[in-house]
Amino acid sequence: MAVVLLLGAVACTAQQPRQVRAASSAKPAAPSCGSGTFRWGAVRQETRLTGVSPVVTLGEDDGWTTFRNVPVRTVAASVRANGVGLSRRRAMASLARHLGYDTGDLMAPGEDTAHHPRHHDRIDFDGAGRFVTAEAVKVVDASFAVSCPDGTHYGSVTTWLTGTQGASLSCGADPGGEAWIREAYQLACGPLSPR
């Protein structure tokens, strides 16, 4: 009986240092920077394709037809910072001011295009052919420095402007236009045949 009690005491004693070591190696929380001043670096704004419909073949007299865009890519709004806890709301408000937008013009961190309703376009094309629709959003990628009590920290923001842009295309006709429109054409219709 004495041997069993002695073994139990040794086992408890051996575990205590391990518990202390585990507690002391916990990662400290990132410092908070609630009132830091933002300086904005490179800002890139580009329209990116987010949805495209399947090709619909229409005859001369088919009239109004509904096109349902399906996701091509998802854009997620986020604020990332190196080694500091920031107010994401303040970061977005600062970026909006820097770009001359209203704060409500930029999507808040945590939002993504996958959870926003997709557009269904109802169109009456003139003539027969193979047709497709597409939608896109204007994406903003920006880098920043923020001055905090413990020094300067760096980070980046990805967001997009509220609302979408749309296009309707005819397969076999040069789509011209912006890169997102040409991308939609190639995905839905295939490569444009040389004339």
Side-chain angles (χ1 to χ4, degrees):
M1 184 85 146
V3 173
V4 172
L5 290 175
L6 180 61
L7 287 175
V10 169
C12 289
T13 307
Q15 289 177 356
Q16 286 175 351
R18 265 189 248 130
Q19 291 171 345
V20 170
R21 277 196 297 271
S24 65
S25 64
K27 193 174 181 180
S32 179
C33 185
S35 60
T37 302
F38 288 89
R39 291 189 317 275
W40 293 95
V43 177
R44 180 178 176 194
Q45 299 185 65
E46 69 173 355
T47 304
R48 292 184 198 158
L49 180 69
T50 56
V52 66
S53 75
V55 175
V56 176
T57 302
L58 298 175
E60 289 279 350
D61 302 318
D62 281 340
W64 291 92
T65 304
T66 301
F67 291 78
R68 289 178 169 79
N69 294 327
V70 294
V72 169
R73 70 171 51 86
T74 299
V75 179
S78 63
V79 176
R80 296 166 300 283
N82 181 11
V84 68
L86 291 176
S87 165
R88 300 183 310 171
R89 184 187 56 76
R90 284 191 67 249
M92 296 303 290
S94 175
L95 177 59
R97 281 192 306 273
H98 177 71
L99 298 176
Y101 295 129
D102 290 331
T103 303
D105 292 342
L106 300 176
M107 295 305 294
E111 296 286 332
D112 65 50
T113 54
H115 292 95
H116 283 261
R118 307 222 75 78
H119 287 279
H120 300 311
D121 298 311
R122 192 156 169 73
I123 302 173
D124 183 6
F125 285 100
D126 184 20
R130 298 172 62 238
F131 301 97
V132 64
T133 60
E135 65 186 54
V137 294
K138 187 171 184 179
V139 179
V140 179
D141 289 308
S143 62
F144 64 82
V146 60
S147 302
C148 300
D150 69 332
T152 301
H153 293 271
Y154 301 93
S156 61
V157 170
T158 297
T159 185
W160 76 94
L161 274 73
T162 55
T164 59
Q165 299 179 44
S168 54
L169 310 168
S170 173
C171 293
D174 189 337
E178 300 177 60
W180 71 271
I181 294 174
R182 293 192 302 276
E183 180 186 7
Y185 183 96
Q186 288 182 319
L187 287 172
C189 303
L192 187 65
S193 303
R195 293 192 184 273

